[in-house]
């Protein structure tokens, strides 16, 4: 019984430690804390975010070099969100940004 309680307590603690990090509000340190995001990628995210918040995963993938569907899935699984939403494969591939003539 004691071992069961210890196991449950450990699960609760580990579950509390996993918290979603939203790309639009996260600090550089919070972004770096996501598995798969290092200093280079967090810098690109923060630079792109200066243009305005990301509406969705598709826009994040369009504006930040190095984030593709596979990496978006991995980052989402590690706790990254865009406006509180995780990446879904149905989001589809990013479309190239259009430029005004």
């Amino acid at each position: 019984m004691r071992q069961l309680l210890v196991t449950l307590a450990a699960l609760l603690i580990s579950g509390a430690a996993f918290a979603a990090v939203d790309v639009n509000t996260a600090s550089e340190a919070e972004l770096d804390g996501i598995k798969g995001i290092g200093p280079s990628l967090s810098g690109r995210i923060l630079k792109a975010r200066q243009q305005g918040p990301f509406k969705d995963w598709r826009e994040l993938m369009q504006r930040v070099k190095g984030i593709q569907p596979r990496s978006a899935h991995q980052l989402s699984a590690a706790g990254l969100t865009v406006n509180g939403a995780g990446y879904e494969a149905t989001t589809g591939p990013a479309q190239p940004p259009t430029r005004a003539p």
Side-chain angles (χ1 to χ4, degrees), residues 1-2 4 25 45 47 50-51 54 62 76-77 90 93-94:
M1 183 68 167
R2 181 174 180 217
L4 177 63
T25 59
I45 291 169
K47 185 174 181 178
Q50 290 175 351
Q51 300 170 0
F54 302 102
Q62 287 175 346
S76 179
T90 58

Side-chain angles (χ1 to χ4, degrees), residues 12 15 22 42 45 56 61-62 65 72 75 79 83 87 93:
L12 288 174
D22 194 85
S42 65
I45 291 169
D56 53 29
M61 291 187 291
Q62 287 175 346
K65 180 183 174 188
L75 295 173
N83 286 326
Y87 178 76

Side-chain angles (χ1 to χ4, degrees), residues 29-89:
E30 290 171 321
L31 290 171
D32 285 342
I34 298 290
K35 183 179 179 182
I37 298 181
S40 177
L41 183 54
S42 65
R44 290 194 304 268
I45 291 169
L46 293 174
K47 185 174 181 178
R49 195 170 74 186
Q50 290 175 351
Q51 300 170 0
F54 302 102
K55 291 182 278 183
D56 53 29
W57 279 93
R58 181 173 296 174
E59 185 177 357
L60 177 66
M61 291 187 291
Q62 287 175 346
R63 291 173 41 195
V64 180
K65 180 183 174 188
I67 301 180
Q68 301 298 321
R70 182 177 178 176
S71 57
H73 175 73
Q74 292 170 340
L75 295 173
S76 179
L80 189 68
T81 64
V82 178
N83 286 326
Y87 178 76
E88 297 179 17

